[in-house]
Amino acid sequence: MAKRYTSDLTWNDVTPKEVFFNRRAFMAGGAALAAGTIGGPVTAQGLREGDTPNTFEEISSYNNFYEFGTGKDDPAKYASALTTSPWNVEIGGLVDNPGDYSFADIMEKMTIEERVYRFRCVEAWSMVVPWNGFELADLLNLAGVQDKAKYVSFETLVRPDEMWGQKRSFLEWPYREGLRLDEAMHPLTIMATGIYGKDIPNQNGAPMRLVVPWKYGFKSIKSIVKITLTEEEPLATWNMINPREYGFYSNVNPDVDHPRWSQASERRIGGGLFAKRIPTLKFNGYEEEVAGLYEGMDLTKNY
Ligand code: MTE
């Protein structure tokens, strides 16, 4: 099994800034060696100076969740219509224990941790989010991944009565995403179930949503009801709609521009309209942890 990722920082550690730097100095003594972070401006979690967590308000009021409309404030306005309990996730395909897993059961079995991650949207805005969640690998291991499995596919629920956007064809429903199995099993990949220790708000993908911090935000599919282990590369919503603009991998890469805009910098939400743009880091700052997954691949072709 993949190694567990140990969180170095919690949101308490990263605010205020002085604590963050003291913590880094402390880490330089030992823990950071193991995490391989000496010498760089980035900590093991990819956080760096200025990476102050966004407020709960910011994180839950500026969203993309097309099932509730295409405006950034639509999800906060309309997502309360979604019933999230009871909730089942169907896990199937190449697994030893296929079936419906209830969210309540999953929560009893999983280790919930806090992970403060940078979150970078393809539209060139970003946030720092203190998620609570469990490693996706733990859930997949519960289902028992078979040797033939190479990919994991995810689907959001379809319930137009509660998700009015699904009465329109903004996207093809259900929203789908996919990861290669090694990406899915990577210890940085989590299923988020909370923010700032509270249950995850509906607009952020209740009751559980994927978070893959080195990929653009659209890979982090919300309100998941189906997980399938497959041999073939699965469909992914944005890649289906516009493969030229959105590849299957979608790793954050400042060197590969989106056809319509540069990906070299980002605007941190909450910094105000005139806030300085900050440079985007390769793999969103998680290069040390994940670059090995893509060794030998041409990332300008596999974008
Ligand atoms: N998941 C579903 N089901 N539907 C969506 O429209 N939007 C994606 C992703 N997951 C989306 C989704 C996009 S484009 C982004 S940037 C992130 O969710 C936004 O997550 P946030 O609102 O929690 O910041």
Side-chain angles (χ1 to χ4, degrees):
M1 202 200 121
K3 76 172 168 54
R4 282 198 83 77
Y5 177 76
T6 348
S7 217
D8 301 284
L9 301 165
T10 70
W11 61 273
N12 280 317
D13 291 323
V14 288
T15 23
K17 201 166 113 197
E18 305 75 61
V19 181
F20 171 58
F21 286 109
N22 287 340
R23 174 82 190 184
R24 274 190 55 209
F26 164 72
M27 278 173 50
L33 269 177
T37 57
I38 295 290
V42 177
T43 73
Q45 280 197 311
L47 298 179
R48 56 185 174 172
E49 186 178 6
D51 275 344
T52 312
N54 281 91
T55 63
F56 187 87
E57 175 64 22
E58 285 159 354
I59 297 164
S60 58
S61 61
Y62 189 88
N63 301 101
N64 274 340
F65 200 165
Y66 278 28
E67 285 85 339
F68 298 105
T70 56
K72 300 290 176 213
D73 52 356
D74 282 343
K77 268 194 234 156
Y78 302 115
S80 60
L82 180 66
T83 317
T84 57
S85 175
W87 192 273
N88 286 322
V89 186
E90 182 192 340
I91 308 186
L94 301 168
V95 291
D96 293 334
N97 314 305
D100 281 341
Y101 289 70
S102 89
F103 179 67
D105 271 3
I106 292 173
M107 288 301 273
E108 257 179 39
K109 295 198 170 85
M110 295 294 128
T111 310
I112 304 295
E113 298 169 34
E114 185 176 80
R115 299 284 181 89
V116 187
Y117 284 160
R118 318 174 79 240
F119 186 84
R120 178 26 166 110
C121 191
V122 72
E123 295 158 324
W125 52 266
S126 63
M127 291 194 196
V128 176
V129 185
W131 303 106
N132 303 90
F134 56 85
E135 291 187 11
L136 175 62
D138 290 346
L139 180 61
L140 296 179
N141 286 330
L142 197 68
V145 178
Q146 296 179 349
D147 287 349
K148 268 169 86 181
K150 299 277 177 298
Y151 294 91
V152 189
S153 108
F154 305 86
E155 286 181 25
T156 296
L157 84 166
V158 180
R159 200 183 285 162
D161 287 349
E162 295 184 3
M163 307 173 105
W164 72 268
Q166 289 186 330
K167 294 181 178 158
R168 312 277 172 83
S169 30
F170 301 134
L171 296 175
E172 214 180 286
W173 316 112
Y175 193 98
R176 299 157 200 266
E177 261 308 335
L179 294 175
R180 222 170 53 191
L181 184 62
D182 56 350
E183 299 176 322
M185 296 300 258
H186 192 281
L188 281 179
T189 303
I190 57 165
M191 277 291 182
T193 57
I195 291 173
Y196 276 109
K198 300 189 184 124
D199 285 349
I200 195 165
N202 283 6
Q203 57 267 38
N204 292 91
M208 60 182 222
R209 62 86 64 83
L210 190 68
V211 177
V212 195
W214 70 96
K215 293 179 180 280
Y216 291 113
F218 66 88
K219 293 297 280 185
S220 294
I221 178 174
K222 298 176 169 182
S223 305
I224 295 167
V225 290
K226 193 168 176 186
I227 300 177
T228 315
L229 279 288
T230 64
E231 219 176 333
E232 306 295 329
E233 187 180 286
L235 294 172
T237 289
W238 291 98
N239 180 235
M240 283 160 70
I241 293 173
N242 194 340
R244 200 176 71 89
E245 296 192 3
Y246 307 103
F248 176 78
Y249 284 92
S250 308
N251 292 322
V252 174
N253 191 342
D255 304 330
V256 177
D257 287 341
H258 182 279
R260 289 182 283 140
W261 57 79
S262 159
Q263 292 292 27
S265 67
E266 64 201 60
R267 179 178 63 91
R268 185 60 53 76
I269 296 299
L273 211 52
F274 302 105
K276 229 173 69 193
R277 296 181 73 86
I278 51 175
T280 287
L281 300 173
K282 193 139 186 216
F283 295 110
N284 201 22
Y286 301 93
E287 184 168 8
E288 296 208 34
E289 287 91 346
V290 302
L293 296 172
Y294 309 101
E295 242 162 49
M297 281 175 70
D298 180 349
L299 296 179
T300 60
K301 292 206 177 89
N302 295 287
Y303 53 92

